[in-house]
Amino acid sequence: MRIRIVDAFTDRPFAGNPAGVLLLDAFPDDDWMQNVALEINHAETAFAHPLPAGGDADWALRWFTPATEVAMCGHATLATAHVLHGTGAHEGPLRFATRSGVLVASPGGDGAITLDFPTAPLTAVEVPQGLARALGAAPRTAFDTGPNVGDLLVEVADERTVHALRPDLAALAAHSERGVIATARAENPGLGYDFVSRCFFPNVGIDEDPVTGSAHTALAPYWSERLGRTALTGLQASARSGRVRTEVRGGRTLLTGRAVTVIEGDLLV
């Protein structure tokens, strides 16, 4: 079967977040998919197969990190939609049946793809004891992001603090189900982004995720409320970096970005 590596939330290769994409006739057993994801060893590998016509969704979609299956993944969904549109396997909006419900990916006239995801419910919580030491900075606020995302969202002092973070990942793992999203307001919105973030997910085998679509379902409502606008752009300040355009529409959040296929080959097992 064909296997592809796609860089998502970027318009150039070797940036954004790489994802493996496999289009199947049906899902193999879970152990096989987990082993493939470990072999690919990117943050997520997406497995998808077509569904019968006339249903609520067009394709079934699952995502695996090198360590476990996850309930939601934005960049691997974008990568899968990019492959399906690019190969002619599907035209127009795509409806994916996932563990997080039906997720829609719609192509735009400019080559970008917009994902329609559930908005993460944010619940203010006390800053956990020891988090500042584990993260390497003192959080101003802390929010639980709900079951689909499973992260602790924290705002730190400023953008420079986000860039400078060097967390103790072993210590950080104790503070949330998946990991920690650290964010701050952009110092210079004239550069084309409104907020900045970094995402650390040691509990699912990802020390730092390059660009995280699911995290932006929490970042978008957080910053939309504070900045007074529903449409924003986030910069994820990892080494690879990437931008996500967001728009909050009540219980749904739109995530828009581009993708580039960098590797295509045959899986022999």
Side-chain angles (χ1 to χ4, degrees):
M1 66 190 72
R2 301 298 285 171
I3 185 168
R4 296 166 177 87
I5 306 298
V6 178
D7 291 343
F9 290 116
T10 182
D11 59 0
R12 58 189 176 86
F14 314 125
N17 201 350
V21 178
L22 287 93
L23 305 182
L24 310 164
D25 295 324
F27 288 135
D29 65 70
D30 290 2
D31 288 342
W32 185 88
M33 290 189 285
Q34 186 62 74
N35 282 328
V36 171
L38 178 59
E39 186 77 10
I40 292 174
N41 202 33
H42 286 316
E44 267 89 10
T45 296
F47 301 86
H49 70 77
L51 295 171
D56 294 333
D58 308 300
W59 287 73
L61 178 62
R62 295 171 69 180
W63 313 278
F64 287 77
T65 77
T68 189
E69 184 174 8
V70 295
M72 179 188 289
C73 179
H75 86 278
T77 304
L78 179 65
T80 304
H82 170 78
V83 169
L84 288 169
H85 290 138
T87 59
H90 191 95
E91 295 183 359
L94 277 155
R95 299 170 300 164
F96 292 111
T98 77
R99 287 174 57 181
S100 298
V102 176
L103 307 177
V104 179
S106 301
D110 61 353
I113 295 171
T114 296
L115 308 177
D116 182 338
F117 273 39
T119 300
L122 300 180
T123 304
V125 297
E126 294 292 329
V127 175
Q129 185 175 4
L131 178 61
R133 177 173 293 181
L135 184 62
R140 290 179 167 179
T141 58
F143 288 81
D144 179 85
T145 59
N148 285 339
V149 177
D151 296 331
L152 187 69
L153 170 64
V154 299
E155 182 182 353
V156 296
D158 51 33
E159 181 175 343
R160 284 172 290 181
T161 300
V162 173
H163 285 279
L165 291 174
R166 299 294 183 271
D168 179 338
L169 294 166
L172 205 64
H175 293 291
S176 73
E177 179 182 347
R178 182 174 72 164
V180 174
I181 307 166
T183 188
R185 186 171 181 169
E187 292 184 1
N188 182 4
L191 295 177
Y193 57 93
D194 302 287
F195 60 88
V196 64
S197 66
R198 289 175 67 192
C199 296
F200 306 100
F201 304 142
N203 287 333
V204 293
I206 305 167
D207 289 347
E208 180 171 3
D209 199 35
V211 191
T212 314
S214 59
H216 282 77
T217 67
L219 288 161
Y222 182 84
W223 286 110
S224 289
E225 180 179 343
R226 282 151 184 78
L227 300 179
R229 289 182 285 125
T230 58
L232 301 169
T233 297
L235 171 71
Q236 195 154 328
S238 65
R240 292 175 65 99
S241 187
R243 300 191 185 201
V244 184
R245 301 202 309 269
T246 68
E247 183 177 352
V248 178
R249 295 184 177 178
R252 310 297 295 184
T253 293
L254 305 184
L255 311 172
T256 301
R258 296 173 179 269
V260 181
T261 300
V262 293
I263 296 174
E264 181 174 349
D266 292 323
L267 184 65
L268 303 178
V269 294

